[in-house]
Amino acid sequence: MFEGGVRSPGFIHAPNIFKEKSYDFKELFHIADYFPTLLSMIESDSSQISNITASKNNFDGVDQFSALKQLNSSPRKSVHIHRDWDRDGHAYRRGPWKIIVGHHFLPFFFSEVGGHQK
């Protein structure tokens, strides 16, 4: 919930599609966005449209290809980052803001440390 594993590096290497030098895309990009984005990249480089790309609206992810290609802002404006079932905690981000709701601590599970009970 506190950005651990959330701000992770990722990259797309496609020199035939992206002609500009490498750059950091600092917009929101969820892992679910990779599949629809890669499908759009394939579609842009191919004259054939597959049945998968025709049903792109049914995916959980957002197609970010035009934002990456034209260096625009991301179409994704929000993301549900994390859900802790055991502590009933959530983290949700919209733009630069994040809200964390629920319990944010782990209780000490062991009543005794060391030794054996008799």
Side-chain angles (χ1 to χ4, degrees):
M1 286 199 282
F2 300 100
E3 301 294 319
V6 174
R7 294 181 186 261
S8 302
F11 69 93
I12 297 174
H13 178 74
N16 293 338
I17 296 174
F18 299 110
K19 304 296 183 198
E20 60 275 339
K21 290 180 121 181
S22 65
Y23 65 94
D24 290 337
F25 187 70
K26 301 206 182 272
E27 301 287 323
L28 284 178
F29 199 107
H30 192 267
I31 192 166
D33 299 342
Y34 270 101
F35 191 61
T37 302
L38 292 174
L39 284 177
S40 286
M41 289 173 60
I42 293 167
E43 185 178 298
S44 75
D45 199 39
S46 173
S47 61
Q48 299 178 5
I49 298 175
S50 68
N51 292 335
I52 296 174
T53 58
S55 64
K56 217 178 343 185
N57 294 334
N58 296 329
F59 296 144
D60 289 336
V62 175
D63 179 7
Q64 301 233 25
F65 177 60
S66 63
L68 292 170
K69 180 81 172 153
Q70 299 166 1
L71 303 174
N72 290 337
S73 61
S74 170
R76 178 177 288 283
K77 302 300 178 207
S78 63
V79 65
H80 183 248
I81 295 174
H82 191 71
R83 167 87 163 108
D84 272 333
W85 294 98
D86 59 341
R87 286 165 272 175
D88 193 30
H90 299 269
Y92 177 79
R93 182 171 165 198
R94 181 170 179 87
W97 298 94
K98 179 169 64 172
I99 185 168
I100 299 173
V101 190
H103 303 287
H104 315 298
F105 63 90
L106 267 175
F108 190 62
F109 290 110
F110 304 105
S111 59
E112 288 187 28
V113 177
H116 295 284
Q117 289 182 347
K118 294 185 178 185

